[in-house]
Amino acid sequence: MHIDPVLYQRMAAYNAWMTEKAYAAAGQLSDAERKADRGAFFRSIHSTLNHLLFADRAWMRRFTGTPYEIKGMGVDLYEHFEVLKSAHLEMCADISAFADGLTPEWLAGTLEWKGVTHPAPRSRPRWLLVTHMFNHQTHHRGQLSTLLTQAGQDIGVTDLPFMPDLIVEHEG
């Protein structure tokens, strides 16, 4: 199987764009509003942002061997919003650098790992796991977008084809 790394480079750019938009919208709320239990899977906007960072770090540890700090599933990595935001944006940059270095050969290989919550040994194709990392981000950002909308914050356009760097102005 041949997977073109350009797919993951685009998804990394999308992840960075959407993460910036999510933090811009969340930054309009008070700390109490961000941390309010809204009945979501990870309770709050703040905890959902933490979970996104947790999962990215867990996968990137497996992919790169970088010892990113992670805690248990559902345990916030950071209590302070600005610290969380900074760490998350750094992770976006690391994911972009990772995607820029991917090769079809690496993607065609197999990754063996032990899970964070279920430590049994596992093995899957790397391309599948990288795809999962980006799909997981999109899944939880959908939840986050809903939580932000319910809190009165419009995250704006979220569609991949309408990323600013893909918009071509047509001469009139």
Side-chain angles (χ1 to χ4, degrees):
M1 170 179 286
H2 176 82
I3 304 284
D4 190 338
V6 74
L7 167 66
Y8 301 114
Q9 292 160 8
R10 173 50 54 188
M11 293 308 297
Y14 178 72
N15 173 58
W17 179 59
M18 287 304 305
T19 299
E20 289 173 10
K21 288 169 64 78
Y23 277 94
Q28 300 301 307
L29 301 170
S30 70
D31 200 49
E33 290 172 312
R34 283 190 298 269
K35 291 180 177 177
D37 187 335
R38 298 177 181 275
F41 191 80
F42 290 101
R43 302 171 311 283
S44 67
I45 291 166
H46 187 82
S47 290
T48 301
L49 287 166
N50 265 286
H51 175 71
L52 279 160
L53 178 58
F54 160 81
D56 286 350
R57 283 182 170 184
W59 283 111
M60 290 294 289
R61 280 174 65 141
R62 295 171 188 139
F63 297 149
T64 68
T66 303
Y68 295 105
E69 178 190 8
I70 58 173
K71 298 178 182 178
M73 176 77 81
V75 177
D76 287 350
L77 293 165
Y78 299 101
E79 288 300 316
H80 299 287
F81 179 72
E82 290 300 325
V83 176
L84 174 60
K85 176 182 175 181
S86 178
H88 209 154
L89 294 177
E90 285 176 22
M91 180 87 279
C92 290
D94 288 356
I95 290 170
S96 291
F98 166 72
D100 287 344
L102 288 174
T103 65
E105 295 76 23
W106 186 88
L107 289 165
T110 300
L111 181 72
E112 295 179 7
W113 82 99
K114 290 183 180 182
V116 174
T117 55
H118 304 288
R122 297 174 182 197
S123 175
R124 298 285 187 283
R126 287 183 186 133
W127 70 266
L128 179 70
L129 298 174
V130 175
T131 301
H132 168 72
M133 179 180 72
F134 289 115
N135 187 64
H136 179 268
Q137 294 166 349
T138 300
H139 167 71
H140 286 295
R141 275 195 307 266
Q143 293 173 336
L144 188 58
S145 178
T146 297
L147 295 173
L148 287 164
T149 298
Q150 290 171 347
Q153 295 300 312
D154 181 4
I155 198 169
V157 174
T158 62
D159 296 328
L160 178 64
F162 301 108
M163 288 179 62
D165 69 321
L166 295 176
I167 302 297
V168 178
E169 296 297 326
H170 298 283
E171 294 182 310

